[in-house]
Amino acid sequence: MQGGSSGIGYGLKYQARCISDVKADRDHTSFLTGTLSLKEENEVHLLRLSSGGSELLCEGLFSHPNEIWDLASCPFDQRIFSTVFSTGESFGAAIWQIPEPYGQSNSSTLECVASLDAHVGKINCVLWCPSGNSDKLISMDEQNLVLWSLDSSKKSAEVLSKESAGMRHSLSGGAWNPHDVNSIAATSESSIQFWDLRTMKKVNSIERAHVRNVDYNLKREHILVSADDESGIHLWDLRKTNVPVQELPGHTHWTWAVRCNPEYEELILSVGTDSAVNLWFASASSENKTAGSPVEASRQRVNPLLNSYTDYEDSVYGLAWSLREPWIFASLSYDGRVVIESVKPFLPRR
C-alpha cells in the first residue's frame, strides 16, 4: 500500500539525523531531536504532542556545542539524555541534563552531567540499559565497547570495563537486549555480534554483510530485526540463527534503521535513503517455518507492507516509536523535517 502523509510536521533550522522518544515522560508524548550543522550553533529540541494530538509543540530549545550524530533519552529521567557529537576534527560523547525552568523563547544552555571520554576513535552510539533505574550505559566506537556506571547526582561516569572487538571488525552501532540486561547486539561491516556484558566477551555472531541497524522485539523474547544496506530487512530467531525466519524487501535504496513497536509485536517501522518510512506487518516465528522454505512466514501475507509514508524530500535517518502512545511514531529526514504519524488504522485486531 502506498500513501503520502497525513502527519504533523515540525521544521528544524538545520540538517539533522537523530530523534529519540522521551520514554521517562509518563505525562506527555515527547521526543528529543538534535541538529547537525558544521558552521552554526547546534540545537536540541524538546517536542511534545499537544493533548488533542493535532499540534507538535517545541517545549524546550537548547544550544549544543557540536554536530549531533547520535542522541538517546535516558529511560528513567526525562531531563537526561546522551549525545555523540563531532567537532569537525574529532568525536566525543556526553551525558546532558535539561535545566529547569526551560522554554522555547530563547536557547538555554544544557548542563553537562558527564563526559564519556574513554575513546580515541570515532564514537558511533551510546546505549542506555533498558531495565528500570539502572545506571549502566554503553558507548561504542569502531573498535571498542565501553561499559559505564553513571552517577548523575555527582555528575560523573566511571568506566566499569572496556573491550576491543578486534581490528577485523568495524563496529557501527547496536541495541541493548530488553529481555537480558547482560546482553547487547553490535553491528559491524560483516556481522551482528552478541556480547555478554558480565565478561565483556563476544559469545555469538550472525555473519551478514553491511548490517546498518538492529532492534529487539520487546514482546517476543528471541526475535531480533536487522536492516541491511542492500538486502532489506530480516527477522532472526536468536535460538537458531542459521537463516532468518522472515525477510522483508526494505527500501528502494539503503535501509537505514528499523524499530519494533513497543506494544504491537507484529508492527515494524523502517526508514531509508529513498526518502520513505515503511510500516510492515511481520508475524514470523521459527515455529511458522516449513521445511525447505526459510521465508514461508512472509508468504502467508500477500503484501507485508501496510503503508509507505513518502512526504519527504530527503533521506530519512531518524525514527522512534512512542512508548506512551505506541500507535504514534516520529521520523526525521536529513533536511530537518520531523513528522509525527499515527498507525491506528493499521493496528492488528486483538
Side-chain angles (χ1 to χ4, degrees):
M1 176 180 180
Q2 296 292 321
S5 175
S6 58
I8 303 165
Y10 177 90
L12 306 178
K13 287 172 63 177
Y14 311 119
Q15 295 172 328
R17 300 177 74 96
C18 46
I19 192 165
S20 175
D21 173 38
V22 184
K23 295 180 175 63
D25 188 349
R26 302 290 188 256
D27 300 318
H28 310 91
T29 299
S30 304
F31 299 92
L32 277 170
T33 183
T35 62
L36 187 75
S37 175
L38 180 61
K39 297 181 179 180
E40 305 296 334
E41 184 175 59
N42 284 282
E43 300 171 339
V44 172
H45 294 241
L46 173 61
L47 306 178
R48 284 180 179 165
L49 192 61
S50 65
S51 57
S54 60
E55 293 181 276
L56 188 58
L57 308 173
C58 180
E59 291 293 322
L61 179 62
F62 314 99
S63 60
H64 187 281
N66 304 109
E67 300 174 309
I68 301 172
W69 285 81
D70 176 76
L71 185 152
S73 181
C74 172
F76 59 84
D77 189 327
Q78 62 180 304
R79 292 176 57 208
I80 294 177
F81 64 95
S82 62
T83 62
V84 172
F85 53 84
S86 171
T87 65
E89 299 178 353
S90 63
F91 278 78
I95 309 299
W96 307 90
Q97 182 168 280
I98 294 173
E100 288 187 326
Y102 56 82
Q104 64 166 330
S105 58
N106 50 29
S107 186
S108 304
T109 301
L110 296 165
E111 299 173 9
C112 184
V113 174
S115 178
L116 307 182
D117 54 5
H119 297 270
V120 293
K122 178 185 176 183
I123 307 172
N124 289 308
C125 68
V126 173
L127 306 177
W128 292 86
C129 179
S131 176
N133 293 330
S134 174
D135 61 352
K136 304 296 188 298
L137 47 86
I138 287 275
S139 58
M140 191 183 305
D141 63 38
E142 292 180 327
Q143 303 296 333
N144 301 284
L145 296 168
V146 183
L147 178 64
W148 301 82
S149 175
L150 175 67
D151 189 333
S152 57
S153 63
K154 294 182 179 179
K155 294 191 174 183
S156 65
E158 175 188 3
V159 174
L160 297 179
S161 53
K162 181 178 181 179
E163 187 61 42
S164 171
M167 296 300 293
R168 294 187 300 110
H169 301 283
S170 181
L171 301 178
S172 57
W176 205 311
N177 190 340
H179 308 287
D180 180 1
V181 295
N182 295 309
S183 176
I184 69 162
T187 57
S188 75
E189 292 179 342
S190 58
S191 66
I192 305 170
Q193 303 178 10
F194 299 95
W195 288 73
D196 188 326
L197 299 181
R198 293 167 294 190
T199 61
M200 290 297 282
K201 299 298 181 184
K202 186 176 72 170
V203 294
N204 197 8
S205 65
I206 299 172
E207 299 306 312
R208 198 81 188 176
H210 306 298
V211 177
R212 178 69 64 176
N213 190 238
V214 291
D215 194 30
Y216 286 92
N217 191 312
L218 280 171
K219 295 296 181 179
R220 301 170 72 180
E221 183 176 353
H222 302 289
I223 298 297
L224 181 83
V225 183
S226 67
D228 301 354
D229 270 357
E230 299 173 357
S231 55
I233 299 164
H234 296 85
L235 280 73
W236 304 90
D237 187 323
L238 299 182
R239 297 167 295 185
K240 189 178 180 181
T241 57
N242 55 326
V243 292
V245 295
Q246 188 171 4
E247 299 179 7
L248 302 170
H251 291 253
T252 57
H253 201 245
W254 290 349
T255 303
W256 194 266
V258 287
R259 295 290 183 270
C260 298
N261 188 279
E263 181 63 30
Y264 303 95
E265 64 184 53
E266 303 94 343
L267 297 184
I268 296 172
L269 282 170
S270 65
V271 296
T273 52
D274 59 354
S275 307
V277 179
N278 289 342
L279 176 67
W280 306 92
F281 184 92
S283 58
S285 68
S286 58
E287 290 78 8
N288 289 338
K289 291 172 60 178
T290 58
S293 180
V295 293
E296 184 65 29
S298 66
R299 294 172 183 159
Q300 294 175 0
R301 187 180 184 92
V302 175
N303 185 4
L305 181 63
L306 295 177
N307 198 32
S308 186
Y309 305 88
T310 56
D311 191 24
Y312 304 89
E313 297 180 357
D314 210 334
S315 298
V316 186
Y317 293 123
L319 183 63
W321 287 105
S322 167
L323 181 63
R324 180 175 176 267
E325 295 185 283
W327 52 89
I328 298 291
F329 74 86
S331 56
L332 173 67
S333 53
Y334 187 58
D335 56 6
R337 177 174 167 78
V338 178
V339 178
I340 303 293
E341 296 276 4
S342 171
V343 301
K344 273 190 175 181
F346 307 102
L347 293 182
R349 295 179 180 179
R350 292 185 171 179

